[in-house]
Amino acid sequence: MGQDLSADGFNPRDRARYRRKVQRCLDTLGRMLTDGGFSFPRRHIGLEVELNLVDAAMGPSMTNQEVLEALDSPSFTTELSQHNIELNVPPRPLAGQSALQLEQDLRGYLGAAAAKAGESGARLAMIGILPTLTHDHFDQKWITNSARYTMLNDQIFAARGEHTTLSLDGSALPGQKPERLRTYAESILPEAACTSVQLHLQVAPEEFAAHWNAAQCLAGVQVAVASNSPFLLGKALWQETRIPLFLQATDTRPEELKNQGVRPRVWFGERWVTSIFDLFEENVRYFPGLLPETDAEDPVEALESGQVPKLTELRLQNGTVWRWNRPVYDVVDGKPHLRVENRVLPAGPTVLDMMGNAALFYGAQRALAEAERPLWTQMSFQAAEENLYAGARGGFDAQLYWPGIGWIPPAELTLRVLLPLAHEGLRTADVSEQAIDRYLGIIEQRCLTRRNGSRWQRETVALAQRHGADRESALATMLERYLELAASEEPVHRWPVEL
């Protein structure tokens, strides 16, 4: 989805041409996997962070173009809404002191962005969902001025044929009643409310299936431990409301197709895989092209002539199927490679918290992928999917299923099982002990205190309301305090609940 598209519309010939081209790309990928033509010199990681811009009143600041022009950096790019920007950190090896350097680089990038945002009267907010968003901010006029975003909006609405329905039941704030959200949106901008951290891991083709399956097993506990998105449109909803919101905001299915069991484009999947090919093949078989743009390359001819195929259409198709763990084919410096892109985590609250989340994922993923008896041979795929939604709904209060244990709270599962696995996996990856202790220590303390960003937000808003604030002002007060504490660089488990 990162590429620019034509501003012209699509006709039936475009769609037929695109379908044929996507299939030809898929056939080419299959040949490349069989022939072993992929680059894998070192195990590289990468990271993307989606950011919110807020104004002095703690509402969204629709200034992303102005801020990006001031930054003038290839590491920053637009996102769907005018109050979002995205940071893409250059990839690097996982081993050694690299994680410590990544932390410093993140601080540098974010500091530069904060300074330029300040010149435009805005501040940066790393948070899963900006709690001060209102219905007015979902007006189509706030879509970033880019053909690809406008066309994506138009194509999703054309496929669905009706407005976006947002329907969520929440859990009660301390001392209050449970809340419900029932509303409609006339654009896909509710998707832009979901700001995440995306973790990339480059893997060899023969290792991909194990790493993807492992990531699927971890998704539920990841969101439970790292939840940071409890509010939407003034309502207290799930601990990680991003998960159901993203599904509903980009759903191309009217109710009748949902009733038929048609798959959503925001998708956990439906089975364990044996190859990355399985995932790309599902993308082609199940999902119509949303943006059927084609280029001039014949991927088969490119491969047979010794060139590296771009597989443009296959990558574009992949970019409009929002798997929580996405397969990625990319070409860098003329060499093709494969990545697992983990997309379940919210942004923030701090750089240290995000580094802790990344260390837990990379370490536990590697240990599970290399285990003698794979975890996914002991666990149904449905159980892994149910864990994702249970973890997103309940956070630390959820009950997750884990083979050999049964039902267990996320904090206990992390302390007893996943932290030892993550230590093992990071040591196997030759990560320095200093980095391992620093970042996994963050997760350990978060689980011992049972305090993540979502819990802190909910308790702070409840406190403000007990002091007489209405919900709107309580959310603004909470967000301002959130930004102050995030700037202190203290991890969220140490944040006091006070006004």
Side-chain angles (χ1 to χ4, degrees), residues 165-474:
T165 301
L166 303 179
S167 177
L168 288 166
D169 293 327
S171 56
L173 292 182
Q176 300 186 28
K177 295 180 180 179
E179 301 175 26
R180 304 174 69 194
L181 176 67
R182 299 288 186 276
T183 190
Y184 296 90
E186 298 181 5
S187 76
I188 61 168
L189 278 174
E191 178 198 337
C194 307
T195 43
S196 66
V197 169
Q198 294 146 35
L199 304 175
H200 293 252
L201 178 69
Q202 183 180 349
V203 294
E206 63 274 14
E207 298 176 346
F208 182 92
H211 280 82
W212 187 84
N213 290 340
Q216 295 285 92
C217 292
L218 292 169
V221 71
Q222 279 185 277
V223 298
V225 170
S227 296
N228 197 29
S229 313
F231 293 102
L232 175 65
L233 298 179
K235 303 288 188 179
L237 300 171
W238 291 23
Q239 300 287 327
E240 188 52 37
T241 305
R242 278 178 49 257
I243 300 299
L245 175 59
F246 203 108
L247 168 62
Q248 294 181 16
T250 57
D251 205 342
T252 57
R253 306 168 302 164
E255 288 299 321
E256 294 79 6
L257 291 185
K258 294 179 188 178
N259 294 336
Q260 292 177 39
V262 172
R263 296 160 180 84
R265 298 189 84 100
V266 174
W267 201 31
F268 187 75
E270 60 189 14
R271 62 185 175 122
W272 307 117
V273 302
T274 58
S275 167
I276 190 173
F277 187 85
D278 297 345
L279 301 176
F280 281 111
E281 192 271 338
E282 287 177 350
N283 288 355
V284 173
R285 180 154 47 107
Y286 295 144
F287 300 102
L290 274 183
L291 303 170
E293 185 110 335
T294 57
D295 70 8
E297 178 190 72
D298 184 315
V300 173
E301 291 181 2
L303 182 64
E304 291 178 347
S305 65
Q307 302 174 40
V308 176
K310 297 192 295 288
L311 305 187
T312 302
E313 294 77 16
L314 190 67
R315 292 160 70 186
L316 182 58
Q317 179 78 353
N318 191 48
T320 58
V321 179
W322 292 276
R323 293 179 184 268
W324 292 112
N325 285 293
R326 178 185 272 169
V328 176
Y329 168 90
D330 204 356
V331 181
V332 177
D333 297 329
K335 297 179 180 178
H337 72 257
L338 305 175
R339 302 195 303 269
V340 178
E341 180 188 10
N342 178 253
R343 301 166 51 83
V344 301
L345 290 167
T350 68
V351 170
L352 263 179
D353 284 301
M354 294 190 297
M355 291 300 301
N357 295 338
L360 178 67
F361 173 72
Y362 286 129
Q365 181 197 35
R366 174 147 186 176
L368 290 175
E370 297 181 353
E372 186 173 339
R373 185 185 178 192
L375 186 71
W376 49 95
T377 66
Q378 310 165 55
M379 181 181 190
S380 72
F381 194 87
Q382 183 181 12
E385 182 176 21
E386 289 173 354
N387 278 351
L388 172 66
Y389 292 105
R393 184 180 293 108
F396 277 125
D397 296 326
Q399 290 287 319
L400 306 180
Y401 176 77
W402 200 258
I405 296 177
W407 297 98
I408 183 171
E412 185 179 352
L413 175 60
T414 303
L415 292 167
R416 283 176 49 187
V417 178
L418 296 183
L419 281 174
L421 280 175
H423 273 94
E424 173 192 338
L426 293 175
R427 288 193 184 104
T428 302
D430 297 320
V431 176
S432 73
E433 289 294 326
Q434 180 185 1
I436 293 173
D437 293 343
R438 178 171 175 80
Y439 302 128
L440 293 186
I442 297 293
I443 301 300
E444 179 182 37
Q445 290 303 310
R446 195 191 300 162
C447 289
L448 289 171
T449 58
R450 287 168 52 89
R451 180 165 300 280
N452 56 22
S454 183
R455 177 155 291 185
W456 182 90
Q457 289 186 53
R458 288 166 58 87
E459 291 179 0
T460 302
V461 167
L463 177 62
Q465 291 191 252
R466 286 198 300 272
H467 281 76
D470 61 18
R471 176 59 60 82
E472 182 180 356
S473 58

